[in-house]
Amino acid sequence: MSTHVQKLGNVLIPVDDLGKAVTFYAEVLGLTVRFRDGDRFAALDGGGTTIALAAPAEQVAGAVTAPSYKVGDVTEAVRDLTAAGAELVSGPEAGPHEMRAVLRDPSGNVLVLYSSL
């Protein structure tokens, strides 16, 4: 079996109100905003790992905090992980910024795989 993960890309944190969440994480916690996509999504610098705030429209993993791993080929990684006991929740599908899939590991923990479009 090949190795798929290139890096821990981000940790997805579901939020109800992106504006309030960005204010809290940036102004109160002190993280730097790297990217913001309107009221859908914001990426903040977590000191080596991106903290990704996902409003309801971008909560691809549901309302749970989930690690998101960058891989070379999402479809191939999904095939290998499901063969090893992971459960495919959704995808692979093209999102607004990447190809992605949501899975549950054999213990039921949610994880996201993504690659650049």
Side-chain angles (χ1 to χ4, degrees), residues 63-80:
V64 297
T65 299
S68 181
Y69 299 100
K70 184 175 184 181
V71 298
D73 183 316
V74 172
T75 302
E76 181 181 313
V78 165
R79 183 192 68 230
D80 290 350

Side-chain angles (χ1 to χ4, degrees), residues 28-91:
V28 180
L29 196 55
L31 303 180
T32 302
V33 177
R34 294 178 34 207
F35 171 79
R36 182 163 178 177
D37 183 1
D39 289 328
R40 300 171 54 91
F41 179 87
L44 294 91
D45 184 355
T49 299
T50 299
I51 302 303
L53 304 177
E58 282 297 314
Q59 291 176 7
V60 298
V64 297
T65 299
S68 181
Y69 299 100
K70 184 175 184 181
V71 298
D73 183 316
V74 172
T75 302
E76 181 181 313
V78 165
R79 183 192 68 230
D80 290 350
L81 271 66
T82 55
E87 173 192 353
L88 181 63
V89 175
S90 67

Side-chain angles (χ1 to χ4, degrees), residues 8 19-20 46 56 69 73 83 91 94 97 99-101 114:
L8 173 64
K20 287 181 181 178
Y69 299 100
D73 183 316
H97 305 286
M99 178 65 70
R100 61 191 178 203
Y114 75 94

